[in-house]
Amino acid sequence: MRVLVACEYSGTVRDAFTELGHEAMSCDILPTDVAGKHYQGNVLDVLDDGWDLMIAHPPCTYLTNAGVTWLHRDPARWALLDDGAAFFKILLNANIPRIAVENPIMHKYAKERIGGIQQSQVVQPWMFGHMEQKATCLWLKGLPLLTPTNNVRDEMMKLPKNQRERLHYLPPSPNRWKERSKTFGGVADAMARQWGPI
């Protein structure tokens, strides 16, 4: 299967599919963190190259519910919200038979701009063996819901909140956004194992 992993610099999802024998390529405006097939540039350059599956991680800065208060503090962010929502829709509506678009929980203005399309499901890292929580929404086309593989929620809930929500509590740093945007390995493996054979 030919798999495009859009807006991924880490190679996590790309490598999960590659390890199972798929022809997978990541694409991002940033260089890849690890060696592997990667197109550094605009995903729109390669979007129509005959992919069987695309997993996309479009930027969420202006779409996520976590940042909605900044819209009211900085009017310039509304235009950036419009651009982010338009890009999200391009990916979701791409001419690819199987699509998964990932983003955090959206605020109401973002939902309006993508046409009110509800996510297909919400997954958490703890569903796939990671002792952390970070709600991630998936909009799916031509794909089944992702099935949890190793639910560790009960064990995770015994941890202090700042450990369960490690990414939320990361201190400010130049690379905080990069750490927060990486896909958890257990989620990537589940995508490859469950969606790869389709």
Side-chain angles (χ1 to χ4, degrees):
M1 179 183 294
R2 298 190 70 235
V3 182
L4 173 63
V5 186
C7 311
E8 180 189 60
Y9 66 88
S10 69
T12 306
V13 177
R14 175 201 66 207
D15 291 349
F17 278 90
T18 301
E19 287 171 13
L20 294 180
H22 299 285
E23 181 189 338
M25 181 181 82
S26 56
C27 173
D28 199 277
I29 57 172
L30 297 174
T32 184
D33 277 356
V34 294
K37 190 170 183 182
H38 181 75
Y39 176 77
Q40 184 178 350
N42 190 328
V43 69
L44 301 183
D45 297 343
V46 296
L47 197 59
D48 296 321
D49 287 0
W51 305 102
D52 300 305
L53 166 66
M54 176 177 66
I55 299 171
H57 311 274
C60 65
T61 304
Y62 306 103
L63 306 177
T64 177
N65 197 45
V68 69
T69 57
W70 293 103
L71 286 171
H72 302 292
R73 296 180 187 175
D74 181 1
R77 292 175 75 96
W78 289 93
L80 297 169
L81 163 60
D82 290 337
D83 292 345
F87 183 59
F88 182 99
K89 286 170 60 176
I90 288 170
L91 295 175
L92 186 62
N93 295 318
N95 186 25
I96 298 172
R98 298 166 202 86
I99 296 174
V101 180
E102 171 273 333
N103 239 235
I105 294 174
M106 288 185 177
H107 56 68
K108 66 179 181 178
Y109 308 110
K111 289 178 183 175
E112 289 169 1
R113 283 162 174 76
I114 68 164
I117 304 165
Q118 286 293 333
Q119 69 270 6
S120 305
Q121 75 177 128
V122 179
V123 297
Q124 291 274 1
W126 50 259
M127 296 174 170
F128 304 92
H130 298 277
M131 301 277 282
E132 296 188 47
Q133 56 191 63
K134 181 186 183 233
T136 301
C137 299
L138 297 173
W139 285 259
L140 305 175
K141 294 179 115 179
L143 292 169
L145 298 179
L146 207 54
T147 302
T149 56
N150 182 16
N151 189 324
V152 295
R153 184 182 186 279
D154 291 343
E155 189 177 349
M156 179 203 67
M157 290 304 292
K158 297 173 186 173
L159 296 174
K161 185 174 181 180
N162 66 342
Q163 289 181 33
R164 295 193 314 262
E165 298 179 21
R166 176 186 63 87
L167 294 173
H168 176 74
Y169 285 98
L170 284 175
S173 76
N175 291 324
R176 183 176 190 263
W177 67 272
K178 283 186 87 173
E179 182 66 21
R180 288 174 54 87
S181 69
K182 285 183 183 176
T183 302
F184 285 85
V187 177
D189 289 343
M191 289 175 171
R193 293 185 183 283
Q194 295 178 35
W195 295 340
I198 296 174

